Amino acid sequence: MSTVSAPTVTARAVSEVEHEVWRLCRDLAAKLQFHGWHHVSFVREKAVDFARRNGADVALVEVAALVHDVNYMVRRNSLPVDGRRLRLSILAGAGVPDAVAARVDEVVEEAEMRTRHRHISLEAQALSDADTLFKALPVTPVVLAPKYLAENGITLRELAHKIVGEQRAKHDEGYYFYDPEAAATYSRWATANLELWQCIVESLNDPTVDRLLAEVP
C-alpha cells in the first residue's frame, strides 16, 4: 500500500512543477543531452501509467518523475541526492507542502537504480519501472548512449561497467521491473540490452578493440 498520508499534490502544483522543469530543461538543453525534457516527459508518462495500475499516489509519482533527475542540472555524473536542494526548491515554489515534498524526495531516492531493492514503495516502483524502461529501450544504446557519455564526461568503459554493475543483479534476481505487465512486455528488451553491455565490457578487455576505439576519429 501507499505510505502517503498527507494531502496529495494538487493539479495546479503538478502544472507549476512541469513548467519549471521544462524551463530548466530548455535553458540547459545543451548540457542535458541525455537527461533533457525528452527523458523527463517519457519517464513521467510511463510512471503515471504504472502508478495507476499499481495503486500508488498518481500525482505524487507524476511530480517525482518530473524532478527525479534534476541532479544533472546541478552537476554532471551525479546522484539524486545532489539534486535535493534544487528539487525541494522547485516543489516549494509550486506550493507543495513540506511533508509531501519530503516524500517526493524519498521516492526519488528509493527508485534510484544503484540502490533500489525488492521492497521499495509503490510510488518508487512506478517511477523505477518508467526510468528502467527508458534504459532498456532498444534504441537507447544506439541513439542515446553517446549522448549520456557526452553529458556526463565518462568513457564507454565506465558506462558499460556502471550498467552491468548496477542492473545485472536486479535483472537476475527478478525485480528489474516491479510491474508484472511491464516485466512480461519489456523483459526481452532488458535482457538483450544487458547482454549487449556485458559483451561491450568483455570486448573492451581485448587490447585490439582498445586500439581500434583509440583510432576512431
Side-chain angles (χ1 to χ4, degrees), residues 22-186:
W22 175 85
R23 184 190 68 78
L24 289 167
C25 285
R26 179 199 62 191
D27 292 349
L28 298 171
K31 176 181 178 180
L32 300 173
Q33 297 181 48
F34 185 92
H35 291 105
W37 184 249
H38 57 284
H39 172 74
V40 174
S41 58
F42 177 94
V43 172
R44 177 226 198 142
E45 179 179 345
K46 291 296 185 180
V48 166
D49 289 345
F50 294 137
R52 287 174 177 153
R53 205 150 68 204
N54 77 0
D57 182 326
V58 175
L60 191 142
V61 169
E62 185 171 11
V63 166
L66 285 167
V67 298
H68 80 285
D69 274 339
V70 297
N71 52 290
Y72 293 102
M73 300 176 182
V74 176
R75 188 169 72 245
R76 69 195 324 205
N77 199 28
S78 56
L79 298 172
V81 66
D82 299 310
R84 177 170 293 152
R85 180 176 296 179
L86 175 57
R87 185 178 302 116
L88 294 178
S89 174
I90 292 170
L91 296 172
V96 177
D98 290 347
V100 179
R103 179 63 191 138
V104 170
D105 190 60
E106 288 175 1
V107 166
V108 171
E109 289 283 353
E110 275 189 285
E112 165 65 11
M113 174 65 81
R114 185 177 57 92
T115 53
R116 67 179 174 87
H117 53 83
R118 188 182 297 276
H119 302 295
I120 61 177
S121 68
L122 294 178
E123 287 74 27
Q125 288 179 28
L127 175 57
S128 175
D129 279 353
D131 202 25
T132 297
L133 176 56
F134 189 87
K135 295 176 174 68
L137 291 173
V139 298
T140 295
V142 179
V143 177
L144 295 167
K147 296 183 182 297
Y148 188 97
L149 297 176
E151 176 185 310
N152 289 286
I154 63 174
T155 65
L156 179 62
R157 182 186 300 275
E158 289 170 325
L159 177 57
H161 278 281
K162 171 182 171 66
I163 290 171
V164 173
E166 292 181 359
Q167 300 182 31
R168 172 62 73 178
K170 296 166 179 65
H171 175 273
D172 293 348
E173 293 171 16
Y175 62 97
Y176 195 74
F177 292 108
Y178 296 92
D179 181 88
E181 188 174 328
T185 305
Y186 304 120

